[in-house]
């Protein structure tokens, strides 16, 4: 598959980059997908394409149902056709529980609406398209998560693993000391008397020493977790070294190449790369 | 011949030591592996000429106390008796009340030691100093150096730099007086009872003059017998040529709060490493890894597979408590500033700005900590079974 790179010299917002790549996108006159990279879901491309061709409008966007719609922008659409009537940003009273999932498919005609300048597709392009009756919403099936924040990243990870259990259970790890949905790279090593999971992903070349308990974490490539440590809801960055008898919890995030000394307690610590941690962090804070 | 009196207080005193003092009286709480006052007794028994040790306090006769007296006598081969005050009579009132017992047998001098201090106990040096400087009817107080701010929490001693005579004494002043502080360890001669008796007479006269200072008459009679050595006797003796201070640089600390018990433990364990290395645990192949000074009771077993990945730091774990696997039990040490050679342990208040001051974590007796939780800077009262993590709390 051909992969092309369109590079913005200045940030062009969420619509401007489409104008920048105009030639690549309109090349064959076929509709094209647009995705936000910090969204994770089951990516129903085929269903979305079918939906888009069926209604014949200029654009389709995926919507997902959330529990707290007021945190996002909600989409109000006609129930039978899915035609979008309007958008409401962070409504104070309940309007709808469907929000923009950040996954679109457009016909090339949309490029007429977008100029080459910093432009927000949600604020400037979509409302006009909705006014013209050219924008339709398709409800997403399956999981969806905006994983831009570490806390939400871990939630999204759990959702992803759960979907994997339903669709490709053979890819998940099993064995002594593995609990629930756990993904372990074949090159990683897990020691004796560990309990890993539920909801853990272990990257390539990771070494987990004896007697370690890990729950709801992502451990990135090359990291080492030394013996007797206990981790819950953490993201351990590439090549980190976590000492013995360490306790890390509450969305502690270690950047690349962070060293955590033995016997420390990290509670909600956000540690920037290449730091060495020699003291406990009992309350959430950022270590620069 | 010599004697020693150890003041052990009673249940109403030493309440800052709770909840550790719920199970055993504070003077019997183990510090560096043995009851707090055993360190005093060992030091006294070593002094040649020591004929009897008297424990004095107002605890009711107590099974643990009784058993301790029996075993201590057997170990140190010296008579040890418990004299029970009928009420809290103060640091001076008790010895005055029992002066006949103390003076029976005709000791030329006797030591008085507070039980709630941890010290190198330079008793022989105090004796030598007393004999050498000339005045056989004088009394000696053990002093040590504190830093200027912390000295205000103790009894402050101003002394002549050549003769070491105490010129001025003030208990817990509000402004700086001196860096030399009272260690709570004294060497008295029988003449001390004359001075305490004077205080007693004065108290009685005051009562005659103002009998109804808002208290009932039965308490009033008791008030005359309550005599504090520090405020009532030493303050008056200062400048009279009868009171001297022997300054020591050896280790010394008060043991008021639970946190100070851990610090005192460290001081004694350090002493063991120099004078009694056989008392410390040694690294053995296949056994637990020993780092630094560690005391393991002969009947304790440390089994690395059973301990199961727990991390216990700066904590006192009470009798019969259990800690689940991967649990973390942690306190904050309140040790004195290691960069200041004269810094003493702070006797912090329990709360500061409405929050619990971070300190040693204490698990009372028979506390159950479940697996995988964190207990941080908390005090757990006896017989609690916890079900979740706790931080900076007192769990009743």
């Amino acid at each position: 598959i051909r992969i092309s790179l369109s590079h913005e010299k200045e940030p062009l917002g969420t619509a401007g980059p489409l104008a920048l790549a105009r030639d690549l996108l309109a090349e064959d006159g076929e509709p094209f997908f647009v995705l936000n990279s910090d969204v994770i879901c089951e990516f129903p491309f085929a269903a979305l394409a079918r939906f888009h061709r069926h209604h014949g409008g200029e654009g389709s966007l995926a919507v997902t149902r959330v529990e707290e719609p007021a945190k996002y922008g909600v989409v109000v659409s006609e129930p039978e056709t899915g035609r979008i009537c309007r958008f409401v940003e962070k409504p104070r009273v309940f309007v709808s529980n469907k929000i923009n999932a950040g996954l679109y498919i457009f016909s090339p005609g949309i490029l007429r609406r977008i100029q080459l300048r910093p432009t927000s597709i949600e604020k400037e392009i979509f409302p006009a398209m909705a006014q013209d009756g050219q924008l339709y919403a398709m409800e997403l099936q399956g999981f969806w998560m905006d994983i831009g924040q570490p806390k939400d990243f871990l939630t999204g990870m759990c959702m992803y693993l759960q979907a994997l259990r339903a669709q490709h259970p053979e890819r998940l790890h099993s064995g002594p000391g593995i609990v629930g949905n756990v993904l372990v790279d074949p090159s990683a090593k897990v020691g004796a008397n560990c309990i890993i999971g539920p909801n853990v992903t272990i990257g390539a070349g990771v070494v987990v020493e004896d007697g370690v308990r890990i729950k709801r974490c992502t451990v990135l490539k090359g990291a080492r977790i030394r013996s007797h440590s206990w981790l819950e809801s953490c993201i351990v960055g590439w090549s980190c070294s976590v000492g013995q008898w360490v306790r890390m919890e509450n969305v502690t995030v270690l950047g690349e190449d962070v060293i955590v000394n033995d016997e420390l307690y990290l509670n909600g610590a956000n540690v920037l790369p290449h730091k060495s941690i020699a003291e406990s962090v009992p309350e959430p804070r950022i270590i620069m | 011949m010599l004697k020693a009196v150890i003041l052990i207080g009673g249940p109403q005193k030493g309440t800052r030591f709770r909840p550790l003092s719920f199970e055993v009286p504070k003077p019997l709480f183990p510090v560096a592996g043995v009851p707090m006052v055993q360190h005093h007794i060992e030091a006294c028994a070593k002094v040649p000429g020591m004929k009897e040790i008297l424990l004095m306090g107002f605890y009711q006769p107590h099974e643990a106390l009784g058993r301790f007296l029996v075993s201590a006598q057997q170990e140190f081969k010296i008579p040890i008796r418990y004299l029970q005050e009928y009420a809290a009579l103060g640091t001076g009132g008790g010895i005055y009340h029992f002066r006949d017992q103390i003076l029976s047998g005709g000791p030329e001098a006797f030591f008085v030691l507070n039980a709630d201090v941890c010290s190198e106990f330079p008793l022989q040096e105090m004796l030598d100093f007393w004999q050498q400087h000339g005045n056989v009817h004088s009394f000696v107080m053990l002093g040590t150096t504190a830093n200027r701010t912390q000295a205000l929490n103790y009894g402050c001693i101003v002394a002549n730099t050549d003769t070491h005579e105490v010129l001025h004494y003030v208990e817990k002043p509000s402004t700086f007086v001196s860096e030399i502080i009272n260690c709570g360890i004294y060497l008295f001669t029988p003449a001390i009872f004359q001075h305490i008796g004077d205080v007693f007479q004065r108290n009685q006269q005051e009562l005659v003059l103002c009998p109804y200072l808002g208290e009932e008459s039965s308490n009033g009679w008791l008030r005359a017998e309550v005599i504090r050595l520090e405020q009532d006797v030493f303050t008056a003796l200062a400048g009279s040529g009868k009171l001297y201070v022997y300054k020591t640089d050896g280790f010394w600390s008060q043991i008021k709060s639970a946190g100070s018990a851990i610090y005192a433990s460290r001081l004694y364990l350090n002493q063991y490493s120099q004078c009694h290395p056989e008392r410390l645990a040694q690294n053995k192949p296949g056994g637990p890894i020993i780092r630094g000074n560690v005391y393991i009771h002969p009947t304790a077993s440390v089994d690395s597979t059973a301990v199961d990945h727990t991390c216990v730091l700066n904590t006192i774990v009470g009798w019969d408590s259990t800690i689940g696997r991967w649990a973390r039990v942690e306190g904050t040490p309140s040790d004195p500033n290691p960069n200041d050679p004269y810094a003493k342990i702070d006797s912090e208040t329990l709360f500061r700005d409405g929050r619990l001051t971070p300190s040693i974590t204490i698990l009372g007796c028979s506390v159950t900590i479940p697996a995988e939780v964190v207990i941080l800077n908390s005090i757990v009262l006896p017989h609690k079974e916890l079900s979740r993590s706790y931080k900076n709390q007192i769990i009743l």
Side-chain angles (χ1 to χ4, degrees):
Chain A
I1 189 169
R2 185 182 83 187
I3 300 180
S4 314
L5 213 52
S6 168
H7 181 230
E8 296 156 62
K9 299 258 187 334
E10 52 155 350
L12 293 172
T14 40
L18 299 180
L20 183 65
R22 179 188 306 276
D23 297 334
L24 288 168
L25 292 171
E27 199 174 46
D28 57 1
E30 292 291 313
F32 57 91
F33 291 102
V34 174
L35 297 78
N36 277 309
S37 59
D38 57 2
V39 156
I40 187 176
C41 64
E42 290 181 8
F43 299 110
F45 292 124
L48 197 50
R50 267 198 311 273
F51 174 82
H52 182 71
R53 282 190 221 282
H54 178 78
H55 67 68
E58 261 182 36
S60 311
L61 56 79
V63 291
T64 184
R65 219 187 261 258
V66 291
E67 280 180 3
E68 292 186 60
K71 294 204 290 202
Y72 310 89
V74 305
V75 175
V76 182
S77 57
E78 289 170 13
E80 312 83 43
T81 59
R83 184 159 60 195
I84 293 180
C85 317
R86 66 184 195 283
F87 294 86
V88 186
E89 246 336 270
K90 295 188 178 41
R92 283 188 295 126
V93 294
F94 184 87
V95 171
S96 148
N97 59 5
K98 302 215 189 17
I99 61 158
N100 177 356
L103 174 59
Y104 321 124
I105 178 170
F106 300 129
S107 300
I110 196 185
L111 294 168
R112 285 195 289 270
R113 296 179 182 264
I114 308 177
Q115 290 169 9
L116 186 56
R117 60 174 175 80
T119 312
S120 160
I121 205 169
E122 300 89 358
K123 293 195 172 72
E124 298 176 60
I125 311 297
F126 285 169
M129 288 170 75
Q131 193 100 30
D132 296 343
Q134 288 296 314
L135 199 51
Y136 288 76
M138 182 186 95
E139 190 170 340
L140 260 190
Q141 304 302 314
F143 70 93
W144 177 90
M145 197 71 204
D146 173 347
I147 54 172
Q149 305 279 353
K151 179 156 145 332
D152 297 331
F153 176 90
L154 290 173
T155 308
M157 174 194 74
C158 296
M159 291 177 167
Y160 175 83
L161 290 174
Q162 189 175 37
L164 206 57
R165 168 72 66 190
Q167 289 155 21
H168 299 284
E170 69 285 357
R171 293 196 203 161
L172 292 173
H173 206 71
S174 59
I178 304 291
V179 175
N181 301 332
V182 174
L183 213 49
V184 181
D185 189 278
S187 62
K189 290 194 188 24
V190 176
N193 299 317
C194 290
I195 300 186
I196 311 291
N199 296 318
V200 175
T201 60
I202 308 249
V206 166
V207 175
V208 178
E209 292 186 3
D210 297 346
V212 171
R213 177 92 182 82
I214 307 183
K215 288 195 274 201
R216 205 171 179 274
C217 293
T218 288
V219 182
L220 296 177
K221 179 170 161 182
R224 172 181 285 264
I225 317 288
R226 305 203 52 217
S227 41
H228 313 297
S229 287
W230 187 94
L231 278 62
E232 181 176 36
S233 293
C234 300
I235 302 176
V236 180
W238 310 265
S239 309
C240 282
S241 175
V242 175
Q244 296 187 312
W245 284 288
V246 167
R247 181 184 176 99
M248 299 191 347
E249 61 182 353
N250 196 22
V251 195
T252 284
V253 180
L254 306 183
E256 180 180 359
D257 180 39
V258 166
I259 301 178
V260 179
N261 288 1
D262 295 345
E263 299 171 28
L264 297 184
Y265 172 49
L266 302 188
N267 173 22
N270 284 12
V271 187
L272 267 61
H274 311 294
K275 282 291 296 180
S276 206
I277 306 294
E279 273 183 358
S280 288
V281 181
E283 289 302 317
R285 67 184 178 98
I286 299 176
I287 319 278
M288 279 212 269
Chain B
M1 72 99 130
L2 302 165
K3 290 198 192 183
V5 178
I6 305 178
L7 307 176
I8 68 171
Q12 289 91 334
K13 294 285 173 193
T15 54
R16 263 176 293 175
F17 208 65
R18 292 175 176 171
L20 297 176
S21 46
F22 283 150
E23 278 307 299
V24 292
K26 178 179 166 184
L28 296 183
F29 186 81
V31 177
V34 300
M36 199 184 290
V37 294
Q38 184 165 319
H39 298 278
H40 299 58
I41 292 174
E42 184 177 14
C44 291
K46 270 203 310 233
V47 179
M50 186 68 67
K51 283 293 178 281
E52 183 178 53
I53 299 180
L54 303 165
L55 263 53
M56 193 174 298
F58 51 100
Y59 287 98
Q60 295 293 354
H62 194 280
E63 197 200 314
L65 189 53
R67 274 187 281 125
F68 170 71
L69 289 176
V70 167
S71 70
Q73 288 190 91
Q74 283 171 351
E75 180 165 352
F76 299 103
K77 317 255 187 299
I78 183 170
I80 310 178
R81 278 194 296 147
Y82 173 54
L83 299 175
Q84 183 185 352
E85 300 166 56
Y86 61 92
L89 298 177
T91 44
I95 57 175
Y96 185 68
H97 181 77
F98 286 112
R99 58 193 178 281
D100 294 333
Q101 303 267 4
I102 296 173
L103 294 179
S104 84
E108 44 189 4
F110 61 99
F111 288 97
V112 172
L113 306 86
N114 279 299
D116 59 359
V117 299
C118 134
S119 170
E120 216 172 13
F121 299 112
L123 304 180
Q124 187 61 52
E125 292 87 326
M126 284 171 77
L127 261 177
D128 295 340
F129 168 81
W130 172 70
Q131 278 159 353
Q132 277 154 20
H133 76 73
N135 185 347
V136 88
H137 292 297
S138 63
F139 319 120
V140 181
M141 189 182 334
L142 184 66
T144 189
T145 318
N147 66 31
R148 288 180 67 102
T149 356
Q150 288 178 327
L152 302 182
N153 299 320
Y154 300 91
C156 297
I157 305 168
V158 180
N160 179 306
T161 34
D162 300 311
T163 65
H164 306 290
E165 185 204 327
V166 174
L167 303 172
H168 188 67
Y169 180 85
V170 126
E171 183 68 18
K172 295 190 182 48
S174 47
T175 54
F176 178 76
V177 167
S178 166
E179 291 151 340
I180 313 297
I181 60 168
N182 175 6
C183 291
I185 295 169
Y186 319 118
L187 177 57
F188 293 142
T189 60
I192 191 73
F193 293 120
Q194 178 65 48
H195 298 284
I196 304 182
D198 291 344
V199 176
F200 179 54
Q201 300 295 334
R202 270 206 309 276
N203 286 351
Q204 283 194 314
Q205 280 164 7
E206 269 177 31
L207 284 175
V208 166
L209 290 175
C210 8
Y212 294 114
L213 279 173
E215 288 176 59
E216 293 163 5
S217 51
S218 57
N219 269 357
W221 170 67
L222 174 58
R223 270 172 47 222
E225 285 234 350
V226 174
I227 300 163
R228 304 157 300 176
L229 277 175
E230 301 80 12
Q231 291 92 328
D232 301 330
V233 179
F234 295 157
T235 317
L237 280 177
S240 68
K242 298 203 180 60
L243 186 56
Y244 289 77
V245 61
Y246 175 73
K247 252 178 44 177
T248 178
D249 282 326
F251 69 88
W252 180 88
S253 177
Q254 266 189 337
I255 310 179
K256 295 286 188 206
S257 65
S260 49
I262 292 198
Y263 179 60
S265 207
R266 172 138 72 89
L267 293 173
Y268 282 135
L269 287 176
N270 192 44
Q271 186 187 38
Y272 288 174
S273 76
Q274 283 154 16
C275 310
H276 298 286
E278 71 286 357
R279 292 186 191 176
L280 294 178
Q282 307 295 334
N283 267 309
K284 283 196 274 281
I289 300 173
I290 310 283
R291 282 206 287 229
N293 301 326
V294 174
Y295 176 84
I296 301 179
H297 193 276
T299 66
S301 63
V302 181
D303 178 351
S304 50
T305 60
V307 173
D308 262 1
H309 326 297
T310 57
C311 187
V312 180
L313 299 168
N314 296 311
T315 296
I316 298 181
V317 180
W319 297 267
D320 298 318
S321 288
T322 54
I323 301 180
R325 56 186 190 166
W326 279 299
R328 182 182 181 94
V329 184
E330 183 179 7
T332 303
S334 42
D335 290 359
N337 180 359
N339 295 322
D340 179 350
Y342 299 130
K344 302 283 172 271
I345 197 159
D346 269 326
S347 50
E348 274 278 8
T349 51
L350 204 51
F351 286 89
R352 198 188 344 166
D353 297 326
R355 310 197 73 205
L356 198 57
T357 315
S359 74
I360 300 289
T361 282
I362 305 171
L363 306 184
C365 80
S366 302
V367 164
T368 305
I369 306 290
E372 300 191 35
V373 298
V374 56
I375 308 294
L376 179 64
N377 298 337
S378 293
I379 302 174
V380 186
L381 261 60
H383 305 290
K384 277 298 294 185
E385 203 176 300
L386 299 185
S387 56
R388 60 171 177 89
S389 294
Y390 285 93
K391 293 186 202 165
N392 305 301
Q393 295 197 28
I394 301 176
I395 298 132
L396 299 171

